[in-house]
């Protein structure tokens, strides 16, 4: 999502700087940026040893067309396949940044590269876990 802004401002009487993060105005872009930037920042400030979302490899259930212009964090639902012994990633559907419904069942963000191609079903991609499995 864009634009995303990080800034600091002079603090009050205690002299400590205040950090500010401005998220995009689009609801889904804000949702994705929150999981990628804000939540890990809060967790780091709270002292968590691993503030970033866990990442697992996931096999695509269906083909996904990549964006040739920029990398994408594709909303998906992960489930464990005992038969395949791996996570299976199912797209939450159309990925338009205005489509809030695509976040409802998402428990992962697939980290997809920018390329002018379609990843086939069965391709393995990194998946950031953002919800319960």
């Amino acid at each position: 999502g864009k634009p995303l802004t990080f800034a600091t401002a002079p603090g009050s009487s205690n002299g400590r700087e205040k950090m500010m993060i401005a998220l995009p105005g689009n609801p889904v872009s804000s949702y994705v940026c929150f999981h990628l930037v804000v939540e890990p920042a809060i967790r780091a400030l709270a002292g968590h040893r691993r503030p970033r979302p866990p990442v697992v490899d996931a096999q695509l259930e269906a083909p996904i067309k990549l964006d040739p212009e920029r990398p994408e964090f594709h909303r998906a639902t992960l489930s464990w396949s005992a038969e395949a012994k791996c996570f299976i990633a199912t797209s939450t559907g159309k990925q338009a940044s205005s489509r809030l419904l695509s976040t409802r069942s998402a428990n992962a963000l697939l980290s997809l590269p920018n390329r002018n191609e379609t990843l086939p079903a069965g391709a393995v991609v990194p998946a950031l876990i953002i919800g319960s499995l």
Side-chain angles (χ1 to χ4, degrees):
K2 55 185 181 178
L4 175 79
T5 303
F6 174 80
T8 57
S12 56
S13 60
N14 66 9
R16 291 178 26 192
E17 286 188 325
K18 294 180 181 181
M19 292 182 274
M20 296 173 281
I21 299 174
L23 295 171
N26 195 297
V28 176
S29 295
S30 289
Y31 172 86
V32 171
C33 288
F34 175 83
H35 285 292
L36 295 176
V37 178
V38 178
E39 187 175 32
I42 292 169
R43 291 173 58 81
L45 290 168
H48 288 263
R49 290 177 41 215
R50 292 189 178 122
R52 294 187 178 154
V55 178
V56 297
D57 286 335
Q59 192 176 80
L60 298 179
E61 179 185 59
I64 293 181
K65 183 168 177 25
L66 300 176
D67 184 330
E69 301 296 320
R70 62 184 183 161
E72 179 182 10
F73 290 94
H74 191 100
R75 277 103 46 213
T77 302
L78 287 186
S79 58
W80 179 257
S81 169
E83 182 181 322
K85 295 186 173 110
C86 68
F87 285 104
I88 304 296
T90 304
S91 174
T92 59
K94 188 173 170 158
Q95 297 290 302
S97 62
S98 60
R99 192 165 183 277
L100 194 55
L101 189 59
S102 70
T103 65
R104 183 171 170 235
S105 62
N107 63 1
L109 297 172
L110 306 180
S111 181
L112 303 178
N114 59 310
R115 286 195 214 136
N116 193 16
E117 65 182 82
T118 299
L119 291 177
V124 176
V125 298
L128 289 77
I129 298 173
I130 60 168
S132 299
L133 295 177

